[in-house]
Amino acid sequence: MAPALPQYWWILAITTVAFCLSAFGNGANDVANAFATSVAARSLTMAQAGVISVIAEFFGAVVLGSRVTDTIKNGIIGLGRFRSNPATLLVAMGSAEIASATWLLTATKLGFPVSTTHTIVGALIGAGIGAQSSITWEWKKGSVSQIAASWVISPLISAAVSAILFATLKYAVLERKDAFKKALRAIPFYLAFTGAILALFILVETPGAPALEDLGVGVACGIMFGTFFGVLALSYVFFRPYFHRVVVLADPRIRPWHLPLGPLLWRENPPLYLPGKATMLVDHYQSAHEKSSTDEHQSPVLDQSVLNTGAETGPGEARTPKQVTEEGHATGDLERQPAEPVLRPIVRKPEPEERFLAPTAHLPLYHPRRLASYVVYFLLQGVTRDCVTHSSAHLGAVHGKAPQYDNRIEHLWTYAQVTSAIMMSIAHGSNDVANAVGPWVAVYETYNSGEVGEDNSTPVWILAIAGLLLGAGFWFMGHHIVRALGNKITQLSPTRGYAMELGAAITILLASRLGLPVSTTQTLTGAVVGVSLMNLDLGATNWRQLAFIFLGWVLTLPCVATVSGLLTAMGLNAPSFN
């Protein structure tokens, strides 16, 4: 069918380009929030987080993304102004998309973790003012006043939930006698709890699924408890022997793909396929202060990845259950033994410029090897940067005030932390994809129908493109936000990151059910602060970095609204030869 407004094809083309940049910026900024704590805690590398983000964002956008997009996000501006001349809506929505893309890419480059929801709402407010449309200022769902209130509401709720989660870990496991033994007993329950929250999230967010009120309390509770006990059973059958092999016996051959072996891992010599050669345990507290000439007072870093759990073993050798018994150590005794840290200096990882470009810098620009190095640099520079190590004396002092727990316990929680990060990423893909898609869909539908509609059907193909662009944004530019929201606020570790990410996810679920204003970025930032305060030392939080982040929140609305408003006003009031 021919479009109703074919003469404005160029507006659709410009808006499409802006949509791609907006979705890319959305991924670079918002998706990075979901994985910042996992990377900072060394639970995931940037490359691993990049691959997972592409898959999770695509799944969230295509499978769980809304098939109907509001023309105006939250009804923030009135559509009556545009009905007499629908082409004016093309200009307003195109301007909003351009302003959103410009701010998201700029904020990401500057290291501001900003709310993409507030970015697009600010752009729509500016477009509404530029078009002299009505703006919803009074206190109601999605209004400007509620958005301003969310700067405080979202972080406070998330900080409280995350602090409570970490408090259970801190006082029930981390700071108890025989903490490692208690951690091995507790981890199946934490995995089950995470699975139950994930089930509730999918139940609430799946398009076309009945509301919780329609399902009833009994059905909803049945799904949650069924998931909880199901995951608990799987944890005892598969995870317990796997964890025993990894952290108790320190078997360097074990890898995550050996999980399906389950009970077979209790054997002295389990049938391992594709075995590894080095232990999976890493130093989660290496975060780490890079020793530099200006920081000579800093002490060496504790390498807890070298664990002494009994007799000495050679490189690449695992201690079998039989060896443990012969050495006179019962399994329970072995679990009670603390890890013995080894002092080791930090080795700085080369940056992509050093790794990919420097080796061929002496070659002519047209040389095939140098051209290939530029291609590799372009594709991998975003996921090969060191977002963990730093050389700041101030940040080193902040980290030094946070207690460090048994590295083996921290490793146990990497799996729960990564699961909660994936849940946050799927949530982002399903909810925030509309921030980039919304204005484009409004332009596309108005261009085809010639009418202004309140709701527009969203083609699945555009959701798929948006999902890929969200993941690509993190892959190429997410490192800016990972640095800003990770170790720059406080010392991160898997137990802390787990509480932060799961607390933020629970907050988003609660807020969506209660109709409270919520932002993914602000929720995660509040979660980081809440867990940081559980160190019971205000000095363990980098308040300078928090002030920098808050500045980004405050600047978002006025900056985006100004750009969008000026573009809309010029586009609608510009002189014409016609």
Side-chain angles (χ1 to χ4, degrees), residues 511-536:
S512 65
R513 298 308 304 163
L514 298 175
L516 296 173
V518 68
S519 159
T520 304
T521 302
Q522 292 159 6
T523 299
L524 279 162
T525 304
V528 172
V529 175
V531 172
S532 177
L533 292 176
M534 286 304 298
N535 292 313
L536 305 181

Side-chain angles (χ1 to χ4, degrees), residues 311-519:
E312 296 297 325
T313 58
E317 294 179 4
R319 301 178 65 242
T320 65
K322 183 178 179 180
Q323 286 177 308
V324 172
T325 305
E326 290 174 350
E327 290 158 9
H329 298 285
T331 301
D333 295 331
L334 189 64
E335 292 173 0
R336 289 191 179 94
Q337 293 180 9
E340 295 182 8
V342 178
L343 293 176
R344 167 183 55 74
I346 287 180
V347 179
R348 187 181 68 85
K349 296 180 180 179
E351 289 296 301
E353 291 77 9
E354 303 170 77
R355 183 175 176 182
F356 301 121
L357 300 183
T360 60
H362 63 285
L363 299 174
L365 190 60
Y366 55 81
H367 195 282
R369 279 183 57 201
R370 190 168 185 185
L371 294 175
S373 70
Y374 277 109
V375 173
V376 174
Y377 171 78
F378 171 76
L379 293 175
L380 298 181
Q381 59 83 25
V383 293
T384 54
R385 295 188 182 274
D386 185 356
C387 297
V388 179
T389 305
H390 63 87
S391 57
S392 164
H394 170 70
L395 201 51
V398 171
H399 288 183
K401 294 181 180 179
Q404 297 188 7
Y405 302 108
D406 190 331
N407 202 55
R408 298 170 299 175
I409 298 176
E410 297 291 357
H411 181 81
L412 292 176
W413 261 262
T414 58
Y415 303 89
Q417 183 190 13
V418 171
T419 301
S420 58
I422 293 173
M423 181 164 60
M424 284 298 300
S425 184
I426 293 174
H428 177 267
S430 64
N431 291 324
D432 287 13
V433 68
N435 295 331
V437 169
W440 183 89
V441 170
V443 171
Y444 180 74
E445 287 297 321
T446 304
Y447 172 78
N448 283 319
S449 66
E451 298 178 354
V452 175
E454 293 284 350
D455 299 317
N456 299 299
S457 59
T458 307
V460 175
W461 60 267
I462 199 65
L463 290 175
I465 293 174
L468 291 174
L469 287 170
L470 289 171
F474 176 80
W475 183 273
F476 288 102
M477 289 186 67
H479 59 90
H480 294 288
I481 304 303
V482 171
R483 279 199 182 109
L485 201 57
N487 277 317
K488 276 194 176 181
I489 295 180
T490 188
Q491 173 71 64
L492 267 293
S493 65
T495 52
R496 292 178 172 95
Y498 166 76
M500 293 169 187
E501 289 165 357
L502 189 60
I506 292 173
T507 301
I508 292 172
L509 280 172
L510 287 174
S512 65
R513 298 308 304 163
L514 298 175
L516 296 173
V518 68
S519 159

Side-chain angles (χ1 to χ4, degrees), residues 513-565:
R513 298 308 304 163
L514 298 175
L516 296 173
V518 68
S519 159
T520 304
T521 302
Q522 292 159 6
T523 299
L524 279 162
T525 304
V528 172
V529 175
V531 172
S532 177
L533 292 176
M534 286 304 298
N535 292 313
L536 305 181
D537 187 339
L538 292 178
T541 304
N542 186 0
W543 300 103
R544 296 182 196 174
Q545 181 67 10
L546 284 174
F548 176 77
I549 291 173
F550 187 77
L551 176 64
W553 298 353
V554 174
L555 289 176
T556 296
L557 274 177
C559 287
V560 181
T562 299
V563 174
S564 179

